[in-house]
Amino acid sequence: MREPVLLVLDADPSPRLGRLAGRVLVRHVDRAGLAAQLPRADVLLVWDLASDAVREAWPGDGPRPAWVHTASVGVDRLLCPELVGCDTVVTNARGVFEQPIAEYVAGLVLAFAKDLPGTLELQQRRRWRHRESVPVAGSRAVVVGAGPVGRAITRLLMGLGVEVALVGRTARRTIRGAGDLDRLAARADWVICAAPLTPRTHGMFDTRFFGLMQPSARFINVGRGPMVVEGDLVDALRKRWIAGAALDAFEREPLGPQSPLWDVPGLIVSPHMSGDAVGWRDRLGEQFVAMYELWLTGRPLPNVVDKRLGYIPGTDLDE
Amino acid sequence: MREPVLLVLDADPSPRLGRLAGRVLVRHVDRAGLAAQLPRADVLLVWDLASDAVREAWPGDGPRPAWVHTASVGVDRLLCPELVGCDTVVTNARGVFEQPIAEYVAGLVLAFAKDLPGTLELQQRRRWRHRESVPVAGSRAVVVGAGPVGRAITRLLMGLGVEVALVGRTARRTIRGAGDLDRLAARADWVICAAPLTPRTHGMFDTRFFGLMQPSARFINVGRGPMVVEGDLVDALRKRWIAGAALDAFEREPLGPQSPLWDVPGLIVSPHMSGDAVGWRDRLGEQFVAMYELWLTGRPLPNVVDKRLGYIPGTDLDE
């Protein structure tokens, strides 16, 4: 039997696949070479996440990989109607980013509550100005997105004593349905977006939504950028409809130096780093290697994405 | 029976004592008037914490208050040999500050791990620079001081998955003794000071101690300033013996604009605010009123300080 062909849509540094030596033919490819190589590959590893290359290069009815794995949680950049409609299996990197993202969100919540940005600014000006902080225990959060990331955030915030409502598309045992979101957001201190980017969630955080929130509340996005209408968020902050926000993802990345987002009062801008704890690339590589070994021996793959939904549907908080 | 005389060493705003109307004669006093009034008071409420006034004004063998309550956790500013040696009961404000301080420390730990100060600095410079963060879960902390504050910090950090060693003066069931501190500090990612200021702890964080710590570790002080030899900490940071530090208390407060501490690389300076969550003054007043009602009817007071130790001795983490 010939060795399977693994196509790696690459980025720097490349994944470490040494453990697969002799059991795979690895072909590294860049965006430009993708369309030509896809029909001859058995497996596609999407290591470079910064582009829509797969969507653009995916073959129509012709030969194609049996399995596509993406080294990310979100699959929005991959899915095109042809990929959704065919029998190719799509898997994601569930398990690598959840805990770091949850810690990042908890850090932002505590930083806002304790006004750490204000402390750092006063320190630069060499000014001693005592302020009162806000208790986090007993505050209320809404986490939008009931996937593994949203669930990890929920668990960590609950450990800090926050009352958390976890909102998914449809209501389940410990998860509230999307129909409850407006009412929950209107009484929340923290609204945290950890949802997948889908046609339903695209642009959902807009002027209407920010208008529902309390003036003392903060908005945090660790999902995809296009879920937030950035101009609407800037307006809401400038008009003090909400007290603050933190964005770790943007409509277009990286943000250029000319972006108006850098100096909006009350807005913390970070470079899409919430999930990237030291060693994340190694963990992504190890995860793929383990999955490839399952695939090679015909065993079922974990982390299979529901391509029509655009994510891995969960069933409950404790899962 | 005459109404008891309650002397309030005051600060602005004064405590709300309205509920005690008719059951107490309240006399507000400032530092200058304290010595003259102390012999005629039954109870002293130390509301102004910013001075050593009580220590200086405390009467020798003469008439004196039967009970001194301080609206703080630390009692170091009160205790003089005459007060320690007499039968006057000293109580503190245990229960008001613990949770806010624990949240503050958790916020600092997460901010360091996620490099939030770096993110805010890069944002000011409009620069997108991706960095890797450090996982908090699985990191190691040493909390120095096994009183209510240290225990609250320990519980909250454990909820974030941190491995915490809680160090008190003597070893107890879940508490390590001071003799273990050096060895624990040498392998810790976080050393957090929440100890009372006593002759044993004065200046304990010095060149010798910082030299034990790992170059990647951070030091956080939410106890009293004089436990840290500030010049030694500055040296340790400049020489990169440790990666960072946060001080919320100082040898002299407030820090003046000339202080060299404001711009030490890796040092976060905050204005003694870690325990002061919105409503803290009201809670301190309510706590004293409730304690006064117990005292008036001869019932035992909570929060009685062991004057010889200089704090309320605890026995275990879960207490």
Side-chain angles (χ1 to χ4, degrees):
Chain A
M1 195 186 99
R2 73 173 175 89
E3 286 172 345
V5 174
L6 166 62
L7 199 60
V8 181
L9 179 60
D10 224 343
D12 185 41
S14 293
R16 294 187 195 162
L17 303 174
R19 259 175 58 202
L20 299 181
R23 293 181 289 167
V24 68
L25 270 177
V26 179
R27 287 194 191 131
H28 295 272
V29 71
D30 62 10
R31 182 193 182 101
L34 189 62
Q37 294 287 344
L38 270 176
R40 284 177 281 174
D42 298 289
V43 179
L44 171 65
L45 167 56
V46 184
W47 190 252
D48 174 9
L49 307 170
S51 78
D52 300 329
V54 177
R55 200 150 55 186
E56 289 162 15
W58 192 255
D61 290 336
R64 56 186 175 262
W67 169 32
V68 174
H69 177 76
T70 177
S72 64
V73 180
V75 296
D76 51 278
R77 288 210 173 85
L78 294 180
L79 296 179
C80 55
E82 292 76 13
L83 176 50
V84 171
C86 74
D87 58 0
T88 294
V89 172
V90 174
T91 58
N92 76 0
R94 173 164 72 171
V96 173
F97 298 105
E98 289 84 344
Q99 183 65 20
I101 294 177
E103 291 181 354
Y104 198 89
V105 169
L108 287 169
V109 163
L110 286 161
F112 278 128
K114 308 304 169 186
D115 192 23
L116 185 59
T119 291
L120 294 172
E121 196 204 322
L122 287 163
Q123 181 176 350
Q124 285 187 328
R125 295 158 54 202
R126 310 176 80 88
R127 290 195 54 187
W128 179 280
R129 191 195 293 160
H130 180 273
R131 287 146 295 135
E132 294 184 347
S133 66
V134 173
V136 166
S139 68
R140 291 171 180 158
V142 177
V143 175
V144 183
V149 174
R151 297 199 295 269
I153 294 169
T154 298
R155 284 190 294 265
L156 209 60
L157 292 182
M158 287 171 73
L160 295 173
V162 179
E163 293 175 26
V164 188
L166 178 59
V167 177
R169 196 169 61 100
T170 54
R172 282 152 279 174
R173 205 163 57 90
T174 52
I175 297 174
R176 317 288 286 265
D180 288 342
L181 177 57
D182 286 2
R183 196 174 47 76
L184 292 165
R187 58 199 282 278
D189 300 296
W190 320 99
V191 174
I192 296 148
C193 171
L197 177 60
T198 69
R200 280 172 187 271
T201 63
H202 193 281
M204 70 180 284
F205 299 105
D206 58 5
T207 294
R208 189 199 69 83
F209 186 89
F210 298 124
L212 294 170
M213 287 175 63
Q214 301 190 97
S216 59
R218 271 91 171 204
F219 175 81
I220 295 172
N221 186 21
V222 287
R224 290 283 190 231
M227 281 182 277
V228 178
V229 182
E230 290 173 356
D232 289 4
L233 175 61
V234 171
D235 282 350
L237 286 165
R238 292 203 188 277
K239 292 174 180 165
R240 298 181 190 255
W241 289 6
I242 66 175
L247 299 180
D248 188 52
F250 302 87
E251 290 173 8
R252 289 180 187 196
E253 298 178 7
L255 281 191
Q258 309 303 327
S259 168
L261 294 173
W262 292 113
D263 57 5
V264 178
L267 179 62
I268 296 175
V269 166
S270 57
H272 207 135
M273 62 182 278
S274 68
D276 301 342
V278 171
W280 61 287
R281 285 195 188 84
D282 289 344
R283 282 190 291 280
L284 286 172
E286 288 159 14
Q287 179 181 52
F288 175 76
V289 167
M291 289 170 77
Y292 182 85
E293 287 173 340
L294 293 173
W295 181 80
L296 199 62
T297 52
R299 284 173 286 175
L301 287 173
N303 294 8
V304 174
V305 172
D306 182 323
K307 292 187 288 184
R308 286 177 202 285
L309 289 174
Y311 52 91
I312 304 174
T315 60
D316 214 338
L317 177 57
D318 307 318
E319 157 189 27
Chain B
M1 193 187 100
R2 73 172 177 87
E3 287 171 343
V5 174
L6 166 62
L7 199 60
V8 181
L9 179 61
D10 224 342
D12 186 43
S14 291
R16 295 187 195 162
L17 302 174
R19 259 173 59 200
L20 298 180
R23 293 182 287 167
V24 67
L25 269 176
V26 179
R27 287 193 189 132
H28 294 273
V29 71
D30 62 10
R31 181 192 183 100
L34 189 62
Q37 294 287 342
L38 269 177
R40 283 176 282 173
D42 298 289
V43 179
L44 171 64
L45 167 56
V46 183
W47 191 251
D48 174 9
L49 306 170
S51 77
D52 300 329
V54 176
R55 198 150 56 184
E56 289 163 14
W58 191 256
D61 290 336
R64 56 187 174 261
W67 170 32
V68 174
H69 177 74
T70 177
S72 64
V73 179
V75 296
D76 50 278
R77 287 209 174 85
L78 294 180
L79 297 179
C80 55
E82 293 78 12
L83 176 49
V84 170
C86 74
D87 58 0
T88 294
V89 172
V90 173
T91 58
N92 77 358
R94 173 164 72 170
V96 172
F97 298 105
E98 289 85 342
Q99 183 64 22
I101 294 176
E103 292 181 354
Y104 199 88
V105 169
L108 287 170
V109 164
L110 287 162
F112 277 127
K114 307 304 169 184
D115 192 23
L116 185 59
T119 291
L120 295 171
E121 196 204 323
L122 288 163
Q123 181 175 351
Q124 284 187 328
R125 295 158 54 201
R126 309 175 79 89
R127 291 196 53 186
W128 178 281
R129 191 197 293 162
H130 180 274
R131 287 147 295 137
E132 295 184 346
S133 66
V134 174
V136 167
S139 67
R140 291 172 180 158
V142 176
V143 176
V144 183
V149 174
R151 296 198 296 266
I153 293 168
T154 298
R155 283 190 295 266
L156 209 60
L157 292 182
M158 286 171 74
L160 295 173
V162 180
E163 293 176 26
V164 188
L166 177 60
V167 176
R169 195 168 62 99
T170 52
R172 283 152 278 173
R173 205 164 56 89
T174 52
I175 298 174
R176 317 289 286 266
D180 288 341
L181 177 57
D182 286 0
R183 197 174 45 79
L184 292 165
R187 57 198 284 277
D189 300 295
W190 319 99
V191 174
I192 296 148
C193 170
L197 178 60
T198 69
R200 279 173 188 272
T201 63
H202 194 283
M204 71 181 282
F205 299 106
D206 58 5
T207 293
R208 189 199 68 85
F209 186 89
F210 297 125
L212 294 170
M213 288 175 63
Q214 300 189 98
S216 59
R218 272 90 171 203
F219 175 80
I220 296 172
N221 185 21
V222 288
R224 291 280 191 234
M227 279 182 278
V228 179
V229 182
E230 291 173 355
D232 288 4
L233 175 61
V234 171
D235 282 349
L237 286 165
R238 292 202 187 276
K239 292 175 181 163
R240 297 181 192 255
W241 289 4
I242 65 175
L247 298 180
D248 188 54
F250 302 88
E251 289 172 7
R252 290 181 186 194
E253 298 178 10
L255 280 192
Q258 309 305 328
S259 168
L261 295 173
W262 292 113
D263 56 6
V264 178
L267 179 62
I268 297 176
V269 166
S270 58
H272 208 138
M273 62 183 278
S274 68
D276 301 342
V278 170
W280 61 286
R281 285 195 188 83
D282 290 344
R283 284 191 288 281
L284 285 173
E286 288 158 15
Q287 179 182 52
F288 175 75
V289 166
M291 288 170 77
Y292 183 85
E293 288 172 340
L294 293 173
W295 181 80
L296 200 62
T297 51
R299 282 174 286 175
L301 286 174
N303 294 9
V304 174
V305 172
D306 181 322
K307 292 186 287 183
R308 284 177 204 283
L309 289 175
Y311 53 92
I312 304 174
T315 59
D316 216 336
L317 176 58
D318 308 318
E319 162 188 22

